[in-house]
Amino acid sequence: MKLKSKPEIRYALWQAYKRKCAICGKPIEYTNLHVDHILAESLEKNSEELNKVLKKYKLTNNFDINSLYNLRPACSYCNIQKSNHESPKEITYRLLRKAKNKIKDIERGIKQFKEDAAYALKVEAMRGLVANGELKIEEYIDQVNNFIADYGQDYIEIDNKLNNFRLIKQHSVMLEGNLPTLNDPEGNCLFTFNSFYIRGVQISLSHKEILQVLYKGVKTSFKLLMRPYIVDKLDENNFLIQLGGCRFNLNASETNHLCNVIDKFIYEYLNALKKIEKTLQSEEFIPVNDEKLKYKLIKINKNIWKLMLEFAQEHDNYHGEGYWHIFDSSGRNMLKIYNKLPTDRYNSGFHCFIHSLVEDSHSWEPSNDVWLVWWYIGEDEEFGIRTYWTVQQTYNWLTKEFIPFVLYNFNKPFKKEKVSFEEYREQNNIQDVFYRESNRFYNRHKIKTSDDLLHLIESLQLHYSVTNQIFFDQEAIHKIYDSLVYILDICPSPDYYYTCRKLDFKKTESRKDLKAQILEKKKSEKYGKIYGGSLDILFRTLFINIELSIQTINEDEVEKITKLLEPFIEEYNMSKLVEVYSR
């Protein structure tokens, strides 16, 4: 039997490539899996042509066309379309390197497949003996229990440009996961259990399922039932679990193992997403739904967008060498920032792609605006003004340089009056011509003014007002009460009536008495579940008293309050990260 036809090879290739087609990148059902040769299998029949190809790609003479070094998974459509056609030389080099780097993953998958197959055969053989009366049911159970191996407690990390793999084991649960990377921002994971009832069962979760199912309730005790995959508590020692399309029982110890494995993985998974965002400087921008590495920059009137495209046509890089001749005007409805030769400002090549997006073409009231979208289409991970611009750099260039200059360029009255570009920019508020989505990410160190602080508090209040319940430790919960006490100390005229009514306090107009009641309520707060409605009220009260202090509060006081609220800002940012990437 050829290597590609062996079930363990097919399974291991499928797992190593994240259950995706290596050609189009789309998920493949196992039943639709084809094993494709990078260098055509037909070369085996033509030794002369084979030697030419091996020499071309600097491969040894004993290179086996049918080895793991030349195999990859593909969907039926891509495999048929490719046939015996060879990819361009640079792409084939990259594919062969990728196949070589996947060998350890494939070998690990082969081992897992064989272990699971051996277990299934063993159990099936024992079932036959029980059916024939040759083995008592008690002996059968004992043998199965003895056969179940403890995975142990282990953590394996493989992190390189092609793979960001994690293997996490905790006794009865093993998780194999691929974290998001810049070139493949959607990871996945595979759970394997050795529980008596579901030994060897494997459950895979996609990127969206990881964020939607595994994040909520992270770091909470499984006994609190705050994790969506813990469906119910059957009794003191048994819990009902739902993962993927599977529902099953685990005992308390096994449930604890599952939660510990998930907490470790989801922490790494979210950090991988944050690492991508930090590289792209995209923390403050909204990714486009169902699109990889596309971010909404600004919403702008269609007529202004047309002027921008017209300007790019006039300033194609091949039509001149002026300051603004930095466009490749080929194609339609897209800005391509490009220069064919290096300059004092930029290296040669493409620096950014921006295209437009209609927000909702099916709306009853179609908009006259379009979103401008940043699009990463490269493979290099080097970003900067001289190379490929980050999302933030593109936004700055659009709003501070390009759009103002386009409006100035097409505004004839200003030209007649001989107003300079710098004067035009000072006299006109360019912010008025575009809209930008905000409230997605807050860096507390950038919150300097009372207006910034009010904006933050309002966002936190709205966020928690629609949160059912959440977990915070006691120190975090106490800090929001400390922030209330602090603002009451510096507020010229606190709103006693509103504060007492919202917090259900005894009516008072004494600052000292009100602070005493807040501190007393603080003492009664314990760590654990806290309902969003309670946080909503606390933030509303804080907002009102900060609003009354807006004329007197200084930058140091703003810094003090934001520092106290840091746990809530961090949770808000993480929730928004999960929300925008799980759509």
Side-chain angles (χ1 to χ4, degrees), residues 109-218:
I110 292 169
K111 183 182 176 184
Q112 181 67 50
F113 183 92
K114 289 180 176 178
E115 286 177 358
D116 292 340
Y119 171 77
L121 289 171
K122 175 83 172 178
V123 170
E124 208 50 49
M126 287 190 294
R127 281 178 179 168
L129 293 173
V130 170
N132 295 331
E134 298 175 44
L135 186 69
K136 292 181 180 178
I137 190 68
E138 294 84 1
E139 295 172 324
Y140 168 73
I141 292 171
D142 285 342
Q143 288 193 40
V144 171
N145 279 329
N146 289 333
F147 192 76
I148 295 175
D150 187 337
Y151 290 137
Q153 210 160 348
D154 201 3
Y155 172 75
I156 297 172
E157 174 181 336
I158 301 173
D159 197 349
N160 55 49
K161 284 188 177 182
L162 290 173
N163 202 349
N164 206 353
F165 174 83
R166 299 292 184 272
L167 175 63
I168 307 169
K169 301 177 183 177
Q170 189 161 92
H171 306 302
S172 63
V173 182
M174 177 168 65
L175 184 152
E176 299 168 89
N178 295 290
L179 304 181
T181 62
L182 188 60
N183 287 318
D184 193 356
E186 294 191 354
N188 53 55
C189 69
L190 181 74
F191 290 93
T192 307
F193 297 86
N194 69 6
S195 170
F196 174 72
Y197 292 106
I198 56 168
R199 168 62 167 86
V201 168
Q202 296 188 319
I203 301 169
S204 63
L205 296 185
S206 67
H207 167 77
K208 287 186 179 180
E209 290 172 315
I210 289 169
L211 295 178
Q212 291 171 352
V213 177
L214 303 189
Y215 169 69
K216 191 175 179 183
V218 68

Side-chain angles (χ1 to χ4, degrees), residues 342-373:
T343 66
D344 292 339
R345 290 188 296 159
Y346 310 124
N347 297 344
S348 60
F350 286 102
H351 304 291
C352 186
F353 285 75
I354 301 169
H355 70 80
S356 66
L357 177 71
V358 177
E359 187 164 39
D360 186 1
S361 58
H362 303 292
S363 171
W364 287 102
E365 296 180 8
S367 172
N368 288 320
D369 299 324
V370 292
W371 278 102
L372 302 191
V373 176

Side-chain angles (χ1 to χ4, degrees), residues 458-509:
E458 186 176 40
S459 294
L460 292 175
Q461 178 262 315
L462 288 170
H463 171 65
Y464 291 112
S465 71
V466 294
T467 302
N468 182 22
Q469 54 187 3
I470 196 164
F471 184 92
F472 280 108
D473 61 33
Q474 193 174 46
E475 184 183 0
I477 296 171
H478 283 181
K479 281 182 177 179
I480 193 168
Y481 286 97
D482 292 340
S483 65
L484 262 174
V485 170
Y486 184 75
I487 195 63
L488 287 173
D489 274 333
I490 61 177
C491 182
S493 181
D495 191 328
Y496 294 103
Y497 174 75
Y498 184 88
T499 304
C500 291
R501 183 167 63 87
K502 282 293 179 184
L503 298 178
D504 199 23
F505 287 166
K506 181 178 67 178
K507 289 181 182 179
T508 183
E509 291 194 5

Side-chain angles (χ1 to χ4, degrees), residues 279-332:
T279 300
L280 301 179
Q281 292 186 316
S282 61
E283 297 99 329
E284 299 179 15
F285 299 87
I286 306 293
V288 177
N289 292 357
D290 300 322
E291 293 280 359
K292 293 181 179 181
L293 303 179
K294 287 188 177 184
Y295 293 87
K296 294 179 179 179
L297 295 166
I298 57 174
K299 187 192 284 186
I300 199 163
N301 187 274
K302 289 177 182 176
N303 292 325
I304 297 177
W305 173 238
K306 288 176 182 176
L307 292 178
M308 293 162 68
L309 293 174
E310 185 180 331
F311 184 91
Q313 287 280 347
E314 293 173 1
H315 293 80
D316 189 284
N317 191 261
Y318 287 90
H319 296 163
E321 296 180 357
Y323 183 89
W324 283 106
H325 285 88
I326 54 169
F327 299 96
D328 174 356
S329 60
S330 63
R332 296 179 60 193

Side-chain angles (χ1 to χ4, degrees), residues 209-221 225-230 259 262-263 266 270 466-471 571 574-575 578:
E209 290 172 315
I210 289 169
L211 295 178
Q212 291 171 352
V213 177
L214 303 189
Y215 169 69
K216 191 175 179 183
V218 68
K219 297 291 175 73
T220 66
S221 168
L225 301 181
M226 294 183 70
R227 301 170 183 252
Y229 51 87
I230 303 178
C259 293
I262 286 174
D263 285 353
I266 198 68
L270 295 176
V466 294
T467 302
N468 182 22
Q469 54 187 3
I470 196 164
F471 184 92
E571 193 284 326
M574 195 66 81
S575 292
V578 170

